């Protein structure tokens, strides 16, 4: 060991140097995510511009950070960057692939930062498109497509079309021609009908005759995109004949592309083209020597049959469709693709060919069902209502009821069951009241399983439909009890949906002679929810009233207004908040009670409540919700004409996305107890060894002569001490044995806690009612803390 003395100044200098090194190395690691580009602000404009011009001289970490944020740099530099932008971009032409990709991904942001950068950006993209590897070309093509969205009118044709045509005419580089075709397909809708017919379509057809099979294949891939843009006459005279010509090629890649895009061409074709040219072509594909081509052709068959007029269907097409479940056909593609396509298109084919073909198709249906493939059976189960509508009640009762028995009773599968239950009310519509009533037993059966909350949710969603298809006495005796049971469900999403459907029963019993009696019974049951000691049942009452407020008669004003407003004094804040939201939503949607003075008075009182204010503060406003949900409403505007709800929308979760049970680690208490138990056993073994030694000493003492008094007394004293020690050790041993028992008892309790925890976790799998309400609150005290 050498004793080296270091002066305080040297220590200070070394520490300063090390701190500086650490600071520089940790600079980018310690930055916050939102401030990663803040280093740009440390430079003035001249320094920043100089760094960008010399980016190729930087270290990799500096180069990466300045490249990733070059759009911010351009924004901060303003006009200075525009003048020097071509020189800055020039530096990236010789960079590594990684930095080129980083740079290319920033180009549309550079254009957005300053539209004067249009020309330099398009020029550098043109360079990368023409002079780099395929991967770089594809990234550059993606950026060119994004920039095209910002170009106006003739700019798209003037700026982009020359680049694409130059690539398309590159006879040396095959990749350039392939990327050019990809850009033609993506940009054809932006170029419009005139440029697409004048340039794009002809370029695609020209490259479709290329000597390289990959180029010809890409031409067929992009053909449907271009065909959607050009006029009908141009398609019929130019593109359709070109497609039919490509279908005749013997090259496997081109033929594969043709069959993969067959249905897209069918959508654009006339009935004559379908019944003559495309019918002959798909039959030819189905006889092809290539297994994949043949399989894809069979996969397209059901949708193709559904696209043809009934009178013009070639019988061979039906014959081939009926063979799709045969072993030699269904095994053409992996993962049962052929049979799934057959099952998926079954209702459409039946609708097209008519009920006269039902006997043949029924055999195919049974064949598909007997495969016991969950995906196929779920598809068939979900389409039973459509099949029943086509074949009629009499045939459906004979041919489809056995399938229902299998779904619900004999071999229930949750996914197949779910597929059937979703449309069960539609299925029941076609039957007589007697059959409907007998079938209601299924609802009683399937909604009892507390673990299958999605089944109950689906039933709750159909309560309003069932209120219209059943007679009033059946509604009152059988459906309403199910509905109110679902309103008390242990999953919040089920309660919410069921409660929002109660209003429909007043409409369902309206024409009954016992309407008044039925109405009073329903109202009394609802008020029972209002008076419940369970807070979420009072919430269900509010959800029931939110729809009943808009009914034409005086049910709400006469019977439910007072009970509803009484909940403004509820001791649970979440109940009062739900009442506030229900009234606010009703007023914003100009509901029937918008001028009710009692309702307005309670609303004003709740609006000034401090707790309500704090809750509303963190909820999105109605305007925000409308903007967020607008695309969904536009898609479903016909199917769901109801006013926008103020309540937060829940995302629909696919069955496969249900959280699965996770195996928990062993509780810490069990690990600790096990360790202490091992230490105790080890200690006990040492005590037993000491005990054996002391017992030998006692035996030696007893053999000593009684005549040697002094020595005997001494030995006797020693003997006494040993005996006392032995007794003391035995007491300790007994005490520690009791501790061991306590340890084992605690260990058992820990294992029991683990077992209970596992059981609780199993139950939690089935109580995921919604993403916003995954934990149920079981007591008034818990609820009042909200």
């Amino acid at each position: 060991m050498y004793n080296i003395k270091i002066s305080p100044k040297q220590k200070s200098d070394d520490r300063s140097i090390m701190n500086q090194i650490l600071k520089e190395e940790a600079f980018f690691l310690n930055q916050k995510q939102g401030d990663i580009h803040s280093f740009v602000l440390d430079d003035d404009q001249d320094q920043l511009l100089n760094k960008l011009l010399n980016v190729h001289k930087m270290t990799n970490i500096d180069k990466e950070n300045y490249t990733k944020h070059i759009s911010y740099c351009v924004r901060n530099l303003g006009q200075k960057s525009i003048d020097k932008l071509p020189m800055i971009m020039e530096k990236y032409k010789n960079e590594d692939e990684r930095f080129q990709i980083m740079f290319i991904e920033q180009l549309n942001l550079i254009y957005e930062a300053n539209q004067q950068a249009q020309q330099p950006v398009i020029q550098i993209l043109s360079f990368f498109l023409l002079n780099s590897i395929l991967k770089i070309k594809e990234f550059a093509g993606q950026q060119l497509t994004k920039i095209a969205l910002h170009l106006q009118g003739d700019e798209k044709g003037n700026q982009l079309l020359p680049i694409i045509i130059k690539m398309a005419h590159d006879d040396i580089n095959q990749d350039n021609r392939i990327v050019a075709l990809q850009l033609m397909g993506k940009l054809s809708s932006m170029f419009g009908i005139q440029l697409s017919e004048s340039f794009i379509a002809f370029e695609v057809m020209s490259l479709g005759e290329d000597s390289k099979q990959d180029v010809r294949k890409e031409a067929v891939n992009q053909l449907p995109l271009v065909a959607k843009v050009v006029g009908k006459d141009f398609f019929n005279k130019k593109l359709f004949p070109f497609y039919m010509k490509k279908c005749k090629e013997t090259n496997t890649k081109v033929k594969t592309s043709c069959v993969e895009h067959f249905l897209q061409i069918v959508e654009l074709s006339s009935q004559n083209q379908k019944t003559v040219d495309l019918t002959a072509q798909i039959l030819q594909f189905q006889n092809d020597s290539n297994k994949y081509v043949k399989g894809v052709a069979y996969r397209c068959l059901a949708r193709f049959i559904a696209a043809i007029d009934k009178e013009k269907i070639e019988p061979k097409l039906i014959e081939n469709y009926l063979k799709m479940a045969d072993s030699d056909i269904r095994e053409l593609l992996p993962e049962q693709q052929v049979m799934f396509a057959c099952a998926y298109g079954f209702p459409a084919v039946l609708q097209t060919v008519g009920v006269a073909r039902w006997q043949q198709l029924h055999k195919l249906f049974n064949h598909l069902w007997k495969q016991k493939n969950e995906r196929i059976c779920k598809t068939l189960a979900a389409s039973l209502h459509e099949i029943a509508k086509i074949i009629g009640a009499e045939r459906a009762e004979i041919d489809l009821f056995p399938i229902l028995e299998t779904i619900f009773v004999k071999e229930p599968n949750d996914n197949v069951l779910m597929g059937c239950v979703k449309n069960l009310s539609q299925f029941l519509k076609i039957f007589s009241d007697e059959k409907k009533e007998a079938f209601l037993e299924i609802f009683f059966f399937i909604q009892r399983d507390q673990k299958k909350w999605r089944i109950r949710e689906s039933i709750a969603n159909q309560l309003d439909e069932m209120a219209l298809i059943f007679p009033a006495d059946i509604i009152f005796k059988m459906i309403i009890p199910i509905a109110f049971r679902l309103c008390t469900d242990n999953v919040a999403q089920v309660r919410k949906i069921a409660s929002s459907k109660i209003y429909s029963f007043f409409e369902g019993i309206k024409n009954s002679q016992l309407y008044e009696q039925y109405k009073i019974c329903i109202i009394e049951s609802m008020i029972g929810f209002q008076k419940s000691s369970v807070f979420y049942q009072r919430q269900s009452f509010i959800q029931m009233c939110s729809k009943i407020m808009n009914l034409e008669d005086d049910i709400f004003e006469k019977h439910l207004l007072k009970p509803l407003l009484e909940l403004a004094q509820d001791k649970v804040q979440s109940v009062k908040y739900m009442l506030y939201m229900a009234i606010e939503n009703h007023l914003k949607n100009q509901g029937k009670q918008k001028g009710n003075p009692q309702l307005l008075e309670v609303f004003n009182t709740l609006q000034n409540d401090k707790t309500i204010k704090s809750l509303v503060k963190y909820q999105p406003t109605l305007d925000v919700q409308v903007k967020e949900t607008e695309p969904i409403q536009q898609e479903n505007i016909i199917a769901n004409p109801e006013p926008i709800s103020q309540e937060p929308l829940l995302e629909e979760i696919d069955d496969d996305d249900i959280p699965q049970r996770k195996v928990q680690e062993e509780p810490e208490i069990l690990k600790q107890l096990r360790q202490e138990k091992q230490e105790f056993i080890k200690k006990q073994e040492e005590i037993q060894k000491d005990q054996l030694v002391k017992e030998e000493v006692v035996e030696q003492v007893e053999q000593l002569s009684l005549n040697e008094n002094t020595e005997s007394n001494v030995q006797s004293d020693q003997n006494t001490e040993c005996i006392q020690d032995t007794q003391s050790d035995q007491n300790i041993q007994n005490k520690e044995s009791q501790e061991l028992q306590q340890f084992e008892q605690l260990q058992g309790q820990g294992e029991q806690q683990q077992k209970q925890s596992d059981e609780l976790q199993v139950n939690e799998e089935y109580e995921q009612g919604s993403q916003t309400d995954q934990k149920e609150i079981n007591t008034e005290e818990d609820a009042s803390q909200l």
Side-chain angles (χ1 to χ4, degrees):
M1 179 69 67
Y2 297 95
N3 187 12
I4 300 176
K5 295 183 179 180
I6 302 176
S7 67
K9 184 178 184 306
Q10 186 177 351
K11 285 184 178 180
S12 176
D13 292 341
D14 290 346
R15 188 179 298 111
S16 175
I17 292 171
M18 291 302 298
N19 287 339
Q20 183 63 28
I21 292 173
L22 291 173
K23 181 179 179 181
E24 291 176 356
E25 290 181 347
F27 175 71
F28 293 108
L29 298 176
N30 294 333
Q31 287 178 332
K32 294 181 180 179
Q33 186 176 2
D35 298 325
I36 190 68
H37 59 279
S38 60
F39 66 93
V40 175
L41 303 178
D42 296 335
D43 301 324
D44 60 33
Q45 287 191 336
D46 292 334
Q47 290 174 328
L48 182 57
L49 182 60
N50 183 59
K51 287 183 178 180
L52 293 181
L53 289 169
N54 292 280
V55 68
H56 59 290
K57 298 179 181 179
M58 291 181 177
T59 62
N60 283 347
I61 189 168
D62 287 340
K63 187 187 300 182
E64 180 175 341
N65 279 281
Y66 276 91
T67 301
K68 280 184 175 180
H69 304 96
I70 194 169
S71 60
Y72 294 110
C73 299
V74 170
R75 191 184 301 274
N76 290 333
L77 287 173
Q79 188 61 40
K80 282 188 177 182
S81 68
I82 301 303
D83 297 336
K84 299 292 184 179
L85 199 54
M87 296 177 62
I88 295 171
M89 291 179 172
E90 190 76 20
K91 307 299 181 182
Y92 285 95
K93 290 183 177 180
N94 299 316
E95 278 295 344
D96 294 339
E97 178 184 325
R98 181 167 69 96
F99 293 111
Q100 286 184 343
I101 291 175
M102 291 179 194
F103 171 69
I104 290 170
E105 288 178 334
Q106 289 288 310
L107 287 175
N108 76 305
L109 299 177
I110 292 175
Y111 177 80
E112 291 176 4
N114 194 325
Q115 292 193 0
Q116 295 182 40
Q118 179 191 116
Q119 198 61 33
V121 167
I122 292 178
Q123 286 178 355
I124 195 66
L125 280 175
S126 176
F127 170 82
F128 285 122
L129 285 166
L130 291 166
N131 301 284
S132 53
I133 62 175
L134 180 60
K135 184 177 179 180
I136 300 295
K137 292 177 190 290
E138 290 174 343
F139 275 100
Q142 293 171 7
Q143 290 297 306
L144 194 68
T145 305
K146 293 179 181 179
I147 291 172
L149 296 172
H150 303 288
L151 300 179
Q152 304 296 323
D154 294 339
E155 287 182 340
K156 295 175 183 176
N158 296 335
Q159 296 287 340
L160 306 184
L161 199 55
I163 300 173
I164 297 173
I165 293 178
K166 185 176 181 180
M167 295 178 69
H169 292 177
D170 189 339
D171 296 331
I172 299 174
N173 193 325
Q174 172 183 319
D175 290 344
N176 280 349
R177 302 198 296 277
I178 291 175
V179 173
L181 283 165
Q182 294 171 351
L183 290 172
M184 289 177 195
K186 292 177 181 177
L187 298 175
S188 57
S189 61
M190 299 182 196
F191 287 142
I193 184 171
Q194 184 176 354
L195 286 177
S196 294
E197 290 185 355
S198 302
F199 295 98
I200 300 298
F202 285 104
E203 292 293 337
V204 171
M205 289 187 288
S206 175
L207 291 173
E209 306 297 338
D210 197 273
S211 60
K212 299 295 184 179
Q213 60 181 3
D214 290 335
V215 178
R216 298 201 304 276
K217 176 183 177 180
E218 194 60 44
V220 177
N221 288 341
Q222 303 304 322
L223 180 64
L225 295 175
V226 178
K228 289 179 181 179
V229 179
V230 300
K232 193 68 177 177
D233 187 61
F234 189 93
F235 171 79
N236 292 334
K237 292 180 178 180
K238 300 292 184 182
L239 296 186
F240 184 79
F242 169 75
Y243 172 78
M244 295 305 299
K245 181 180 178 181
K246 294 294 103 183
C247 289
K248 301 296 187 291
E249 276 209 25
T250 57
N251 182 271
T252 302
K253 286 188 176 181
V254 178
K255 193 189 302 182
T256 297
S257 184
C258 287
V259 73
E260 287 175 341
H261 297 285
F262 179 81
L263 290 176
Q264 293 173 278
I265 299 298
V266 169
E267 292 177 1
L268 300 169
S269 303
S270 65
Q271 277 296 323
N272 185 61
Q273 290 167 334
K274 294 173 188 175
T275 55
V276 178
D277 302 290
L278 294 176
T279 295
Q281 187 58 58
I282 195 171
L283 290 173
Q284 185 176 338
F285 281 145
Q286 288 171 349
N287 290 321
D288 198 88
S289 59
N290 184 281
K291 184 178 178 180
Y292 179 77
V293 171
K294 188 174 182 178
V296 174
Y298 271 97
R299 192 176 65 189
C300 297
L301 184 54
R303 290 178 59 186
F304 180 63
I305 292 173
I308 306 175
D309 291 338
K310 178 179 177 180
E311 296 78 14
K312 299 180 180 180
I313 297 176
E314 169 65 40
K316 185 64 175 176
L317 295 176
I318 306 300
E319 181 183 336
N320 286 354
Y321 180 75
L322 294 172
K323 295 192 302 183
M324 286 179 69
D326 294 351
S327 59
D328 59 330
I329 304 299
R330 69 186 185 215
E331 294 174 2
L332 290 171
L333 297 177
E335 300 177 356
Q336 302 278 3
Q337 291 183 44
V338 173
M339 290 186 67
F340 177 75
C342 178
Y344 188 84
F346 190 90
V349 172
L350 177 60
Q351 178 70 46
T352 303
V353 302
V355 70
R357 293 267 195 172
W358 169 242
Q359 290 304 320
Q360 292 175 299
L361 292 172
H362 182 218
K363 292 179 182 179
L364 175 62
F365 182 95
N366 287 335
H367 197 165
L368 292 169
W369 184 263
K370 289 176 182 177
Q371 298 301 315
K372 302 298 182 185
N373 180 284
E374 183 179 292
R375 187 165 173 243
I376 293 172
C377 289
K378 181 178 179 180
T379 300
L380 293 174
S383 64
L384 286 177
H385 65 293
E386 294 293 345
I387 298 172
K389 290 177 185 177
I390 298 169
I391 65 176
E394 184 178 351
R395 286 190 177 92
E397 183 180 344
I398 298 171
D399 296 334
L400 300 184
F401 267 43
I403 301 295
L404 291 173
E405 186 180 7
T406 302
I407 294 173
F408 289 104
V409 182
K410 289 185 178 179
E411 301 175 20
N413 176 293
D414 287 354
N415 287 330
V416 178
L417 180 63
M418 188 65 185
C420 181
V421 170
K422 280 183 177 180
N423 302 296
L424 201 51
S425 62
Q426 297 294 320
F427 181 81
L428 294 178
K429 276 184 180 180
I430 71 167
F431 296 103
S432 64
D433 291 345
E434 182 180 356
K435 292 294 181 184
K436 292 175 187 174
E437 183 178 354
F439 205 76
L440 275 176
E441 294 180 4
I442 291 179
F443 283 96
F444 282 111
F445 174 73
I446 62 178
Q447 57 95 27
R448 289 174 183 169
D449 191 340
Q450 290 302 303
K451 294 181 179 180
K452 298 176 182 176
W453 70 270
R454 290 196 175 279
I455 301 292
R456 304 196 302 278
E457 179 191 28
S458 182
I459 294 173
N461 263 316
Q462 299 175 74
L463 289 174
D464 54 345
E465 295 178 1
M466 288 190 283
L468 299 176
I469 65 176
F470 285 95
D473 58 331
I474 299 300
I475 293 173
F476 182 75
K477 293 176 183 177
M478 303 186 72
I479 299 179
I480 290 178
I482 295 176
F484 280 121
R485 178 187 174 92
L486 293 173
C487 290
T488 63
D489 198 89
N490 60 349
V491 176
Q493 177 70 350
V494 178
R495 297 196 303 267
K496 176 182 176 182
I497 294 173
S499 300
S500 68
K501 303 288 186 180
I502 296 298
Y503 78 96
S504 61
F505 296 126
F506 291 105
E507 297 293 326
I509 62 173
K510 208 165 192 177
N511 297 325
S512 172
Q513 295 179 351
L514 300 175
Y515 171 70
E516 289 298 327
Q517 293 92 320
Y518 289 163
K519 181 180 74 173
I520 294 302
C521 289
I522 296 174
I523 292 170
E524 288 177 352
S525 297
M526 291 177 60
I527 293 175
F529 279 79
Q530 190 267 357
K531 296 184 179 300
S532 172
S533 59
V534 181
F535 82 97
Y536 63 72
Q537 292 188 15
R538 302 197 295 276
Q539 289 180 324
S540 294
F541 174 76
I542 296 172
Q543 290 169 327
M544 294 175 194
C545 291
S546 63
K547 291 284 185 72
I548 297 174
M549 279 193 255
N550 286 313
L551 293 182
E552 292 299 325
D553 50 26
D554 60 351
I555 292 176
F556 178 75
E557 298 95 320
K558 190 174 180 180
H559 302 283
L560 299 173
L561 175 61
K562 184 179 178 182
L564 180 68
L565 299 183
E566 287 175 358
L567 293 177
Q569 306 300 322
D570 200 281
K571 63 180 180 180
V572 178
Q573 297 297 334
S574 61
V575 175
K576 293 199 294 184
Y577 175 70
M578 181 171 285
L579 175 62
Y580 168 80
M581 295 299 291
I583 299 175
E584 183 188 45
N585 187 52
H586 184 79
L587 296 177
K588 285 188 175 181
N589 287 316
Q590 298 293 305
K592 184 185 175 186
Q593 306 297 325
K594 63 182 179 181
N596 189 302
Q598 295 173 276
L599 201 70
L600 293 172
E601 182 181 356
V602 168
F603 177 72
N604 291 330
T605 302
L606 292 173
Q607 200 171 29
N608 295 322
D609 186 282
K610 292 183 179 179
T611 305
I612 301 296
K613 283 183 177 179
S614 64
L615 291 171
V616 172
K617 181 179 179 181
Y618 296 102
Q619 292 293 329
T621 63
L622 182 65
D623 293 335
V624 173
Q625 289 181 351
V626 170
K627 290 178 182 179
E628 291 174 350
T629 60
E630 185 175 357
I632 299 175
Q633 291 168 356
Q634 289 295 330
E635 293 175 2
N636 299 288
I637 192 167
I638 297 177
N640 185 19
E642 297 179 2
I644 300 169
S645 172
Q646 178 69 16
E647 296 171 354
L649 296 176
L650 298 171
E651 294 183 2
E652 186 177 30
I653 306 172
D654 190 75
D655 292 342
D656 294 333
D657 295 332
I658 298 174
Q660 300 296 316
R661 181 184 177 196
K662 297 180 180 178
V663 179
Q664 292 186 344
E665 295 184 359
E666 185 182 43
E668 199 63 36
I669 184 173
L670 289 181
K671 295 180 181 178
Q672 183 179 355
L673 288 172
R674 185 179 292 107
Q675 183 179 1
E676 292 178 356
K677 180 179 178 180
Q678 291 173 351
E679 292 175 356
F680 172 78
I681 292 172
K682 184 177 179 181
K683 184 177 180 182
Q684 189 180 32
E685 291 175 351
E686 294 175 354
I687 292 174
Q688 288 176 350
K689 290 180 180 179
D690 292 339
Q691 180 67 20
L692 291 174
V693 173
K694 291 178 180 180
E695 287 177 356
E696 291 176 1
V697 172
V698 171
E699 290 176 359
Q700 293 174 2
V701 170
E702 291 176 350
Q703 294 175 2
L704 291 176
S705 174
L706 295 174
N707 295 329
E708 298 176 0
N709 294 330
T710 304
E711 186 177 352
S712 176
N713 290 336
V714 173
Q715 293 291 335
S716 177
D717 292 339
Q718 292 176 353
N719 184 30
T720 302
E721 292 174 0
C722 288
I723 293 172
Q724 289 175 349
D725 290 341
T726 301
Q727 292 175 347
S728 175
D729 291 339
Q730 289 176 346
N731 292 334
I732 293 172
Q733 185 177 0
N734 292 335
K735 181 178 179 181
E736 292 182 345
S737 296
Q738 293 176 356
E739 291 177 354
L740 177 60
Q741 292 176 357
Q742 292 177 355
F743 280 140
E744 292 176 343
Q745 183 178 4
L746 287 172
Q747 186 176 10
Q749 292 175 356
E751 292 172 347
Q752 182 66 22
Q753 291 174 3
Q754 173 70 5
K755 183 178 179 181
Q756 292 175 354
S757 176
D758 289 344
E759 292 174 352
L760 287 173
Q761 192 172 6
V762 170
N763 291 334
E764 287 177 359
E765 295 175 18
Y766 308 104
E767 295 181 358
Q768 304 288 334
S770 69
Q771 292 180 338
T772 58
D773 190 13
Q774 292 184 350
K775 292 185 178 179
E776 296 298 329
I777 303 174
N778 298 317
T779 64
E780 295 285 346
E781 291 77 14
D782 291 339
S784 62
Q785 294 176 6
L786 289 176

